[in-house]
Amino acid sequence: DAKTTQPTSMDCAEGRAANLPCNHSTISGNEYVYWYRQIHSQGPQYIIHGLKNNETNEMASLIITEDRKSSTLILPHATLRDTAVYYCIVRPSDTGTASKLTFGTGTRLQVTL
Amino acid sequence: GAVVSQHPSWVICKSGTSVKIECRSLDFQATTMFWYRQFPKQSLMLMATSNEGSKATYEQGVEKDKFLINHASLTLSTLTVTSAHPEDSSFYICSANYPARGRYEQYFGPGTRLTVT
């Protein structure tokens, strides 16, 4: 699976957009970009995923560059409850039942007043 | 939908004893569940893949005789830490495969914090 690189930490003011970058320069054509987050002492929570088109759901937007070597997760109006570690994961499209997720170190997002 | 629970949420046990952690898919059936371990300030590390009705598949370096996994039904997988020692103290998290959008997506439980004294 392709490796991802994320900044260790970021700060964001409450109410502003949080833009979390992820580099996945070795991604292959059949690999999706997934984002999960983990609030302190809880299990990870699925946020969004995409292949090459930009995606949006009720939680966030995912912008993937045309060459697919990087992506940005956007939380449009961050709140204190969005403080968490955000993981960017590359995963093959052929997700059989045994498909694994490999977690990197993620980005620790701190939302402040 | 796609709710995964774990029990207990935390447990303290004495060194040398065994402890069982349950992972349940509450509103769906999961043929495959996964067990992760997370040490403080570190990321999640996959321990094993649990398959209903068959033996679990363990990741390299994980002792299968120490971490016993049983996936006896489509909604329940258990992880038993045998002869626990203080170095086994960790946050144990399970996930279950949920069919969604033509694929299988992993949904995670809330985790179980194990402290071995």
Side-chain angles (χ1 to χ4, degrees):
Chain A
D1 294 350
K3 180 180 169 57
T4 63
T5 304
Q6 300 177 250
T8 303
S9 63
M10 295 182 65
D11 291 333
C12 178
E14 189 176 35
R16 305 298 289 266
N19 297 285
L20 292 90
C22 179
N23 182 290
H24 32 78
S25 58
T26 60
I27 193 170
S28 60
N30 68 343
E31 290 181 315
Y32 281 74
V33 179
Y34 275 75
W35 285 83
Y36 282 80
R37 73 179 182 184
Q38 186 179 24
I39 295 170
H40 183 61
S41 293
Q42 297 183 24
Q45 176 188 23
Y46 166 83
I47 301 173
I48 198 167
H49 76 280
L51 182 62
K52 53 183 178 181
N53 297 323
N54 298 337
E55 302 287 344
T56 296
N57 63 19
E58 64 278 4
M59 289 183 67
S61 294
L62 173 61
I63 309 297
I64 303 174
T65 58
E66 193 168 343
D67 63 7
R68 302 208 325 121
K69 293 184 177 182
S70 65
S71 61
T72 301
L73 178 74
I74 301 173
L75 308 179
H77 306 287
T79 71
L80 296 177
R81 286 178 294 182
D82 292 322
T83 292
V85 178
Y86 288 76
Y87 296 99
C88 169
I89 300 170
V90 171
R91 188 185 186 197
S93 63
D94 179 20
T95 56
T97 57
S99 180
K100 306 173 187 178
L101 290 174
T102 302
F103 286 82
T105 53
T107 295
R108 184 172 299 277
L109 175 68
Q110 179 69 53
V111 180
T112 57
L113 291 172
Chain B
V3 178
V4 179
S5 71
Q6 285 184 239
H7 178 81
S9 55
W10 60 270
V11 57
I12 300 172
C13 71
K14 293 189 175 182
S15 187
T17 62
S18 297
V19 62
K20 180 186 288 187
I21 302 170
E22 295 183 347
C23 177
R24 292 182 186 274
S25 55
L26 296 186
D27 50 1
F28 67 101
Q29 294 182 331
T31 56
T32 303
M33 294 182 175
F34 301 86
W35 287 95
Y36 296 81
R37 179 167 53 181
Q38 185 175 34
F39 292 108
K41 299 190 186 303
Q42 293 186 24
S43 189
L44 284 79
M45 294 297 294
L46 180 66
M47 298 176 67
T49 301
S50 170
N51 302 295
E52 188 269 335
S54 64
K55 291 183 178 181
T57 304
Y58 290 82
E59 295 299 300
Q60 191 172 6
V62 177
E63 299 175 58
K64 62 180 181 180
D65 295 329
K66 181 171 181 62
F67 298 100
L68 301 179
I69 292 172
N70 187 307
H71 193 154
S73 78
L74 288 171
T75 59
L76 173 65
S77 176
T78 60
L79 169 68
T80 300
V81 183
T82 63
S83 186
H85 291 284
E87 57 265 31
D88 298 322
S89 298
S90 188
F91 193 49
Y92 291 86
I93 308 168
C94 73
S95 69
N97 262 349
Y98 175 74
R101 299 177 286 271
R103 301 157 56 81
Y104 284 96
E105 308 290 4
Q106 286 190 36
Y107 284 81
F108 288 80
T112 296
R113 187 162 301 282
L114 169 64
T115 302
V116 184
T117 61

